[in-house]
Amino acid sequence: MRKILLLTALVSLFSISTAAAQDYGRNEISVSYGTVSHTQITNLFVELITLSFAEVDIRFTGTMTAEYLRYVSRGIALGGTFVYEFGREPRDADFKCRSHYMSLMPTAKFFWFNKEHVGMYSRLALGATYMHGVAEGDKLWKVRPAFQLSA
């Protein structure tokens, strides 16, 4: 476990330093893993609003993200973000549910300042999430808005 955390930290430091000084006309590709997605937050609010009567107990894998950006000027990059997440109820739960969440979002990145070794930027992505799942043997699917905002 320590090796995985150390490797993740080293990759993160490397990606931060390489993304700091992008030139016009360059491409940026990133692959990342994260937790506390909008799907997890939505399920938390469902439990809070229904005072836990809904008993939403879905376990999530965390989000796997792939992103491509193309710098159209010195301080602006445009591209897209793809996000995947899997969620399921625990094996001992009364209600059996498994869901796949896939989001596709056009993305814009605006630099506030961009120096050789450090940069400060904001990122905005707005798109849709497609959910496909199985609950108690019934197949479910739905589409809902998705967003990502980094300041």
Side-chain angles (χ1 to χ4, degrees):
M1 183 66 169
R2 288 182 188 174
K3 290 180 182 179
I4 293 172
L5 290 174
L6 181 61
L7 181 63
T8 303
L10 288 173
V11 169
S12 297
L13 289 173
F14 178 71
S15 64
I16 290 169
S17 64
T18 57
Q22 296 290 338
D23 294 359
Y24 170 72
R26 304 236 4 221
N27 300 310
E28 181 180 327
I29 298 172
S30 65
V31 177
S32 61
Y33 173 81
T35 58
V36 191
S37 67
H38 69 278
T39 307
Q40 294 170 346
I41 293 169
T42 301
N43 285 339
L44 177 66
F45 279 120
V46 166
E47 281 201 47
L48 290 174
I49 291 170
T50 62
L51 301 175
S52 296
F53 290 118
E55 294 185 31
V56 178
D57 194 21
I58 298 176
R59 304 285 194 251
F60 291 97
T61 58
T63 57
M64 281 74 72
T65 305
E67 182 175 59
Y68 169 78
L69 292 169
R70 171 90 174 158
Y71 286 81
V72 295
S73 73
R74 188 149 176 78
I76 298 174
L78 301 174
T81 302
F82 174 78
V83 181
Y84 173 78
E85 185 171 23
F86 176 74
R88 69 172 176 80
E89 289 280 340
R91 294 182 197 277
D92 60 347
D94 294 333
F95 185 74
K96 303 292 184 200
C97 178
R98 293 175 299 143
S99 300
H100 300 272
Y101 302 89
M102 292 161 274
S103 302
L104 188 59
M105 300 174 283
T107 305
K109 182 177 179 179
F110 307 96
F111 276 91
W112 297 105
F113 68 89
N114 191 13
K115 303 297 180 191
E116 185 177 346
H117 296 290
V118 67
M120 184 175 175
Y121 62 87
S122 293
R123 180 183 318 218
L124 174 65
L126 184 61
T129 295
Y130 170 73
M131 188 277 292
H132 172 74
V134 177
E136 293 292 324
D138 295 330
K139 292 186 178 183
L140 307 168
W141 69 273
K142 61 182 165 182
V143 177
R144 64 181 183 204
F147 66 92
Q148 179 182 11
L149 178 63
S150 303

